[in-house]
């Protein structure tokens, strides 16, 4: 029989919580009923003695859990956690994410490698299809990089495609630490193609999951993972997605939690953008740049973003003359011909041409054939 008493949870990395998560058919809901905010060590002792309340898991699991607990080697489990440099938290721990503890569908046990996520930092989840286009991958990397540079925690699922691209962009920016939420045990990297990314996220940020050590990436674990992405996020951004799949499930979970959902517009000829374009048609806000997401987070206003762009180019937006400022505002909706720009500006043609040339020289305006647009 395994020894019932071990080191306090603060010193043993959460071995009792890890052991509880490994109980057969220990779903998050059952673990929530079993644990609540109680000390995992005391709960484990009750399970091991067969004193667990019947209503927690029913008669069919009562004896199964007791026998499993009595056969568990806590010291071996502790050694495994230490070898991974992994920690396990429950709502009884101050390190358990607040948003997860009080979520509508909480995770009562979380496994973690890396640092504790900053509870005060804004969080954006970037999700999308595994089978993304080169454009989608590039946009995801740019969003991840720009948000991390702005101090935003980028969260994603470490999948191939959009998820991985967002994390690679955020890591390259060397800004705010990232969080990767996974659907298998922390010792079972999935997909194998992102093994380097797992290690990079754990080294520079946080690798997080609720699956026990050794858990394989079973299909049911990924919808459960998606709810955690939504629960952690202040905003969910979908870069490319078909009309059904994991990304849209994350969107559903975000809507359940009244979390803002944004979508990157895509070509109507791009099957990978069918889901994002559907979201836009249903009223989701477009995410065409990092600035759009920062505005949604309340970290900037459209005017402040314009000023920041100008300052980045060593140009004070307020130093532009009134007509130049007006032209930039008129180009917020996208490229237009010079004729249309003159009509919108309601200014003499020569004045508009001079102002436009000045903006182009400053790098704030670009030409696309016969049209002009904001650079």
């Amino acid at each position: 029989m395994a020894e019932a008493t071990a080191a306090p949870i603060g010193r043993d990395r959460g071995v009792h919580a890890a052991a509880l998560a490994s109980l057969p058919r220990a779903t998050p809901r059952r673990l929530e009923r079993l644990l609540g905010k109680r000390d995992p060590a005391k709960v484990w002792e009750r399970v091991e003695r067969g004193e667990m309340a019947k209503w927690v898991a029913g008669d069919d699991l009562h004896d199964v859990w007791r026998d499993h607990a009595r056969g568990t080697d806590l010291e071996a489990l502790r050694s495994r956690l230490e070898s991974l440099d992994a920690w396990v938290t429950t709502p009884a721990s101050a390190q358990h994410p607040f948003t997860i503890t009080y979520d509508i569908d909480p995770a009562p046990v979380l496994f973690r490698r890396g640092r504790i996520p900053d509870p005060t930092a804004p969080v954006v989840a970037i999700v999308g299809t595994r089978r993304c286009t080169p454009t989608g991958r590039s946009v995801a990397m740019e969003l991840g990089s720009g948000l991390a540079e702005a101090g935003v925690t980028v969260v994603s699922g470490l999948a191939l495609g959009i998820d991985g691209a967002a994390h690679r962009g955020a890591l390259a920016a060397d800004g705010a630490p990232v969080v990767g939420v996974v659907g298998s045990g922390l010792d079972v990297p999935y997909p194998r193609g992102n093994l380097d990314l797992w290690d990079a996220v754990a080294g520079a940020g946080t690798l997080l999951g609720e699956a026990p050590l050794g858990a394989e990436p079973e299909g049911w674990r990924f919808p459960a993972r998606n709810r955690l992405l939504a629960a952690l996020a202040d905003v969910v951004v979908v870069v490319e997605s078909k009309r059904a799949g994991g990304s849209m499930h994350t969107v559903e979970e975000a809507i359940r939690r009244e979390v803002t959902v944004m979508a990157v517009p895509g070509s109507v000829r791009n099957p990978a953008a069918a889901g994002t374009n559907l979201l836009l048609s249903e009223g989701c806000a477009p995410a065409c740049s990092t600035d759009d997401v920062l505005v949604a987070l309340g970290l900037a206003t459209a005017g402040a973003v314009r000023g920041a762009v100008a300052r980045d180019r060593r140009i004070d937006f307020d130093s532009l003359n009134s007509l130049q400022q007006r032209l930039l505002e008129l180009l917020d909706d996208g490229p237009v011909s010079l004729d249309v720009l003159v009509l919108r500006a309601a200014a003499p043609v020569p004045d508009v041409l001079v102002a436009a040339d000045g903006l182009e020289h400053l790098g704030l305006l670009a030409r696309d054939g016969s049209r002009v647009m904001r650079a």
Side-chain angles (χ1 to χ4, degrees):
M1 180 188 302
E3 185 178 342
T5 303
I9 192 167
R11 295 199 303 271
D12 67 13
R13 295 177 176 266
V15 65
H16 295 99
L20 289 168
S22 71
L23 293 171
R25 291 155 57 194
T27 62
R29 189 148 300 180
R30 284 173 174 153
L31 284 173
E32 183 186 8
R33 290 199 295 262
L34 177 65
L35 262 171
K37 293 188 178 181
R38 293 181 284 274
D39 181 355
K42 294 180 178 178
V43 173
W44 178 258
E45 291 175 7
R46 290 182 62 85
V47 172
E48 193 176 29
R49 292 197 301 265
E51 297 175 357
M52 183 187 67
K54 297 278 187 178
W55 61 268
V56 170
D59 293 339
D60 59 330
L61 283 181
H62 187 273
D63 293 342
V64 171
W65 281 10
R66 179 200 61 204
D67 294 344
H68 179 91
R70 291 178 177 178
T72 297
D73 186 339
L74 293 179
E75 289 303 322
L77 183 53
R78 179 182 289 107
S79 296
R80 185 62 180 145
L81 289 170
E82 290 176 351
S83 69
L84 291 167
D85 196 17
W87 300 81
V88 190
T89 61
T90 73
S93 168
Q95 297 178 349
H96 205 67
F98 181 86
T99 55
I100 297 297
T101 297
Y102 295 98
D103 186 56
I104 58 177
D105 192 3
V109 178
L110 284 175
F111 293 74
R112 169 177 58 81
R113 287 178 59 196
R115 69 183 68 188
I116 302 168
D118 181 357
T120 66
V123 180
V124 171
I126 301 178
V127 299
T129 180
R130 290 171 173 80
R131 298 180 178 178
C132 62
T133 65
T135 297
R137 183 177 291 106
S138 175
V139 169
M141 290 188 69
E142 290 175 10
L143 288 173
S145 177
L147 290 169
E149 285 181 351
V152 177
T153 297
V154 174
V155 178
S156 202
L158 278 176
L160 297 173
I162 296 300
D163 289 27
H167 267 144
R168 292 185 192 279
L171 288 168
D174 195 24
V178 298
V179 175
V181 185
V182 300
S184 58
L186 296 187
D187 54 344
V188 186
Y190 177 82
R192 296 293 298 180
N194 274 352
L195 176 59
D196 65 322
L197 194 54
W198 275 57
D199 292 337
V201 168
T206 308
L207 197 62
L208 199 66
E210 60 182 332
L213 298 184
E216 295 295 327
E218 301 170 87
W220 67 270
R221 294 193 183 278
F222 292 95
R225 184 273 312 271
N226 294 341
R227 90 188 192 285
L228 298 183
L229 292 174
L232 289 168
D234 297 305
V235 172
V236 171
V237 178
V238 189
V239 177
E240 282 185 337
S241 174
K242 296 184 178 180
R243 288 174 176 255
S247 301
M248 301 305 280
H249 181 263
T250 304
V251 167
E252 293 170 4
E253 294 292 343
I255 292 171
R256 286 182 64 205
R257 291 162 175 81
E258 298 184 352
V259 172
T260 298
V261 177
M262 305 181 75
V264 175
S267 168
V268 295
R269 294 183 175 84
N270 176 14
T276 50
N277 288 338
L278 174 63
L279 291 174
L280 292 169
S281 71
E282 293 177 344
C284 287
C288 300
S289 67
T290 301
D291 297 338
D292 290 338
V293 185
L294 294 177
V295 169
L297 287 168
L299 300 179
T301 64
V305 166
R306 285 196 300 271
V309 170
R311 286 192 297 273
D312 285 345
R313 290 174 177 163
R314 303 187 183 278
I315 298 163
D316 184 358
F317 186 79
D318 292 332
S319 70
L320 301 176
N321 64 45
S322 59
L323 181 55
Q324 289 175 323
Q325 293 182 24
R326 174 66 175 155
L327 294 185
L328 287 178
E329 291 173 355
L330 292 173
L331 290 172
D332 277 344
D333 293 333
V336 297
S337 69
L338 273 173
D339 291 342
V340 171
L341 190 61
V342 168
L343 290 174
R344 290 181 178 178
V349 174
D351 292 350
V352 172
L353 294 177
V354 170
D357 285 343
L359 291 173
E360 185 176 9
H361 178 73
L362 293 171
L364 298 176
L365 180 144
R367 296 180 184 269
D368 176 20
S370 61
R371 302 184 302 174
V372 292
M373 67 185 76
R374 291 190 62 146

